[in-house]
Amino acid sequence: MTKAIHKKLNELQSTAICGNDISSSCLYVSALTIGYAGQYAWISLLFVGVVLFLFRKIYAEVVGALPLNGGAYNVLLNTSSKKIASIAAILTVLSYMATAVISASEAMHYLQHIFNTIPITIATIVVLVIFTILAIIGIGESAKVAVGIFIFHLVSLVLLVVTSVLFITFNGLQTFQLNWEIPLTTHSLLYTLFLGFSVAMLGISGFESSANFVEEQENGVFPKTLRNMWAIVSFFNPVIAILIIAIIPMAQLGDHKESLLAFLGNTAGGNWLAWLISVDAVLVLCGAVLTSFVGVTGLLKRMTLDRILPNYFLKENKNGSNYRIIISFLILCVSVLIVTEGDLVSLAGVYTFSFLAVMALFGIGNLLLKFKRKKLPRPEKARGLAVVIAISLIITAFMGNYILNVNSFYTFVKYFIPALLFILLMLNRLLIIEFSISMLEYLYNPLRKFVVNSNRFLNRLHNKINSQEFVFFTKNDNVAILNKVMQYVEDNETTKKLKIVNVTNGTNSNQKLKIDLEVLDRAYPEVHIEFIEIEGVFGPELISELSEKWKIPKNFMFIGSPGDKFSYRVADLGGVRLIM
């Protein structure tokens, strides 16, 4: 497979791609939060900013240590097992699927306010197809579109805020005082803020997107994207909530909840601002669709390289885009749109619970990284207590959303279980093939011709899966560590061949290591161990040379966790995995 080389994304491009998703929340999250927290909504939204501040460090530490595509999947793959990592991947894909469909549909609802005759479902499919084509053209071209949308969105929000502040300056705070004095009816203030916080967490969906295409970003850009997204959400969401409370009477909010910012613009500045906000809503929600395509492509490519998905998806076009992944994601989105008949409430359940679960798993991955990969160099570190608090807050929001909408949770489960079964099927396909071969041999006589042909196919497939070799680079003769390597390979990989490579500097051969490997070879008869000593210096050049020579992809090569004195970053090794 030829790999196309494309230019890395700078700070503005990277922020725009993931920022369009998270900043699009400004269009709806204030209205939703006010619906549950009333005049105290801005407090709930400020607290969401605190949660994001904690997660900035969490994401920066993990991706700084393991700067590879995949987000939560990547950190769990390098700190736990493939099965656990796959659960995070499923949740991320579901989140992207729901985001793409909801954003495209909501964009068309806003467009319908401008052009009344638009058929929502057909228009939604057209939007999904347009951004599929854009994603296939290449991430560089996608970034240019994303930057244009992002800048227009920020300018629109700034105009809305400035115009609203001027309106309050000339008209006074009477509306704010009336709204502020509305008494709480059914719940205490604390419970009201809890419900508002749970709903307000919808405003951080997309925060993990940058971690799913980090390999396409220039060095040092990733933490800046986190900072930029945090600043945008922490400023605009609470400020807009305060402006709404200060300008619009609570009694009028319910009639305009689907396009509240456009109504705010109309009240504060007139028709021109309402029209501008509607156009902005269409564009930035479409930008969120693009974010979904970019993020899911990076994640699914990584999963395919790790043999969780079929190699069929790795095919690239001349621009370096995995068009089969992109087209498959389009088909998934369109099918979900048709099956749910565009019911956004059902999709919102998938969307909310998926991304909250992904963020919780990412936090857990950070704790595992601290515990299992202590020596792994990382540019930033999040305090353990801060990580635990952040995870607790995500779980709190998850429970709050469950309380608010139990039906949405069950919808999420209905999508999650089939996806989980498919991934488990892929992870255990070798066992299924072996079982099928045994059954066909058992049925050989009554179904001879069919059995012979099927058996040949299954045996070829079985041998192909098993024939993939894996490599572990070791520098010591600790048999306990090597035993853990064998256990990891048996539990997580479908292979019968493992090369143990010891890179030496020309000194005497490591006889103790050879003896230990002979013992392990007898202890694990299912896996053939080949010991290889190579004179040289371990590093990216040697890995590339061996990968090319042995025809073994770099993500099928393993190392133990490197220490602080290691000369290279993990990203420099081209996808080599950490398993110890």
Side-chain angles (χ1 to χ4, degrees):
M1 183 179 68
T2 350
K3 184 160 181 75
I5 298 172
H6 52 269
K7 191 178 176 183
K8 300 271 185 175
L9 302 173
N10 60 30
E11 181 183 346
L12 177 59
Q13 292 171 324
S14 302
T15 302
I17 287 175
C18 50
N20 281 331
D21 188 1
I22 195 168
S23 65
S24 67
S25 68
C26 301
L27 296 164
Y28 55 81
V29 77
S30 297
L32 286 172
T33 311
I34 290 171
Y36 288 97
Q39 64 270 41
Y40 304 103
W42 60 276
I43 301 174
S44 297
L45 289 163
L46 275 176
F47 202 66
V48 168
V50 174
V51 175
L52 273 189
F53 183 79
L54 295 175
F55 268 96
R56 275 178 61 188
K57 284 278 188 182
I58 294 170
Y59 275 84
E61 178 180 2
V62 168
V63 177
L66 300 166
L68 300 168
N69 289 348
Y73 166 78
N74 177 46
V75 62
L76 291 170
L77 182 69
N78 283 283
T79 56
S80 59
S81 68
K82 260 190 177 181
K83 290 183 178 68
I84 295 173
S86 297
I87 292 172
I90 293 166
L91 291 166
T92 307
V93 171
L94 288 177
S95 173
Y96 279 133
M97 175 204 72
T99 300
V101 177
I102 290 172
S103 298
S105 181
E106 279 294 311
M108 293 305 98
H109 276 93
Y110 266 96
L111 193 62
Q112 198 177 50
H113 283 280
I114 303 171
F115 305 104
N116 297 327
T117 56
I118 289 179
I120 297 295
T121 303
I122 294 172
T124 301
I125 294 172
V126 170
V127 170
L128 291 170
V129 170
I130 289 171
F131 282 95
T132 298
I133 295 168
L134 192 59
I136 289 172
I137 291 172
I139 194 168
E141 297 304 315
S142 301
K144 292 175 186 175
V145 174
V147 167
I149 293 172
F150 186 62
I151 292 172
F152 183 80
H153 180 52
L154 291 184
V155 170
S156 301
L157 290 179
V158 169
L159 275 173
L160 179 64
V161 169
V162 170
T163 306
S164 299
V165 169
L166 290 173
F167 179 87
I168 294 168
T169 303
F170 289 111
N171 293 276
L173 290 169
Q174 295 89 343
T175 304
F176 180 82
Q177 289 168 352
L178 288 171
N179 285 336
W180 189 257
E181 289 169 3
I182 295 173
L184 295 172
T185 50
T186 53
H187 305 299
S188 67
L189 177 59
L190 186 62
Y191 192 73
T192 298
L193 290 174
F194 160 66
L195 294 180
F197 166 73
S198 300
V199 174
M201 287 296 283
L202 284 169
I204 67 170
S205 62
F207 191 72
E208 81 290 345
S209 293
S210 187
N212 280 304
F213 64 95
V214 68
E215 291 179 51
E216 280 71 50
Q217 300 173 28
E218 292 176 357
N219 287 337
V221 162
F222 175 74
K224 294 177 182 177
T225 66
L226 300 180
R227 178 201 63 199
N228 297 340
M229 287 189 286
W230 167 76
I232 290 167
V233 170
S234 299
F235 174 76
F236 280 111
N237 284 351
V239 167
I240 288 172
I242 292 172
L243 292 173
I244 290 170
I245 294 165
I247 294 173
I248 303 172
M250 288 286 190
Q252 296 180 22
L253 295 181
D255 297 332
H256 302 279
K257 61 183 179 182
E258 290 184 355
S259 53
L260 187 56
L261 263 62
F263 182 63
L264 174 65
N266 186 65
T267 306
N271 287 332
W272 70 272
L273 189 53
W275 186 87
L276 179 70
I277 295 300
S278 295
V279 171
D280 169 54
V282 173
L283 290 176
V284 77
L285 286 165
C286 286
V289 177
L290 178 59
T291 302
S292 298
F293 275 95
V294 173
V296 85
T297 302
L299 173 61
L300 292 181
K301 179 180 179 181
R302 179 72 195 280
M303 292 176 69
T304 306
L305 287 170
D306 291 332
R307 297 211 298 176
I308 294 175
L309 296 175
N311 283 345
Y312 169 83
F313 293 112
L314 285 179
K315 184 76 173 175
E316 292 183 349
N317 62 13
K318 62 181 181 180
N319 297 317
S321 299
N322 299 98
Y323 62 90
R324 289 178 176 174
I325 290 176
I326 296 166
I327 292 171
S328 300
F329 185 64
L330 169 68
I331 294 168
L332 177 64
C333 289
V334 172
S335 63
V336 166
L337 177 67
I338 293 169
V339 168
T340 59
E341 297 179 346
D343 179 15
L344 298 186
V345 175
S346 298
L347 286 168
V350 181
Y351 171 65
T352 305
F353 294 108
S354 295
F355 87 79
L356 286 175
V358 168
M359 291 194 74
L361 286 171
F362 200 102
I364 292 167
N366 181 285
L367 293 176
L368 289 172
L369 190 75
K370 291 179 186 298
F371 179 71
K372 292 189 172 183
R373 306 281 183 263
K374 293 178 183 177
K375 295 180 180 179
L376 190 64
R378 60 205 74 182
E380 294 189 53
K381 286 187 180 180
R383 292 181 179 275
L385 179 60
V387 180
V388 172
I389 291 171
I391 295 170
S392 303
L393 290 171
I394 292 292
I395 293 170
T396 301
F398 192 98
M399 294 307 299
N401 278 285
Y402 175 80
I403 292 167
L404 290 171
N405 200 335
V406 178
N407 291 334
S408 288
F409 176 75
Y410 291 135
T411 304
F412 157 72
V413 170
K414 287 175 186 175
Y415 281 94
F416 176 69
I417 289 177
L420 180 62
L421 290 174
F422 172 73
I423 292 297
L424 289 176
L425 185 71
M426 291 300 299
L427 288 172
N428 295 285
R429 60 190 182 276
L430 196 61
L431 290 174
I432 294 168
I433 291 170
E434 288 172 351
F435 175 77
S436 301
I437 290 171
S438 301
M439 287 300 297
L440 286 171
E441 287 173 351
Y442 177 78
L443 297 169
Y444 180 78
N445 287 326
L447 300 168
R448 180 176 242 177
K449 187 174 179 180
F450 171 75
V451 169
V452 169
N453 292 332
S454 300
N455 214 18
R456 283 176 185 164
F457 169 76
L458 289 172
N459 274 302
R460 281 198 303 270
L461 188 58
H462 182 269
N463 293 334
K464 183 180 178 181
I465 294 171
N466 268 335
S467 65
Q468 177 61 61
E469 289 186 284
F470 286 76
V471 176
F472 178 71
F473 292 98
T474 184
K475 61 179 180 180
N476 59 51
D477 52 10
N478 188 325
V479 70
I481 289 177
L482 293 172
N483 186 50
K484 287 181 180 178
V485 171
M486 297 304 299
Q487 288 173 350
Y488 177 88
V489 170
E490 275 207 332
D491 291 343
N492 292 278
E493 304 297 346
T494 48
T495 185
K496 298 295 182 186
K497 298 178 182 179
L498 176 66
K499 293 180 187 288
I500 304 285
V501 179
N502 182 221
V503 182
T504 69
N505 55 5
T507 55
N508 294 333
S509 177
N510 194 332
Q511 294 301 323
K512 189 172 184 305
L513 180 58
K514 289 181 181 178
I515 294 168
D516 287 342
L517 288 175
E518 286 174 5
V519 173
L520 287 174
D521 202 16
R522 292 194 295 272
Y524 296 92
E526 294 295 317
V527 180
H528 172 65
I529 301 174
E530 181 184 359
F531 177 62
I532 300 172
E533 280 188 325
I534 295 175
E535 187 177 333
V537 179
F538 178 76
E541 294 80 9
L542 180 63
I543 289 171
S544 297
E545 180 188 329
L546 295 179
S547 176
E548 200 170 320
K549 178 181 176 182
W550 293 336
K551 308 298 181 192
I552 299 176
K554 293 177 186 176
N555 56 303
F556 295 157
M557 296 180 168
F558 308 140
I559 60 170
S561 183
D564 294 334
K565 296 181 181 178
F566 189 57
S567 309
Y568 307 98
R569 299 186 310 146
V570 174
D572 297 334
L573 306 182
V576 171
R577 279 159 52 190
L578 307 180
I579 62 169
M580 293 296 300

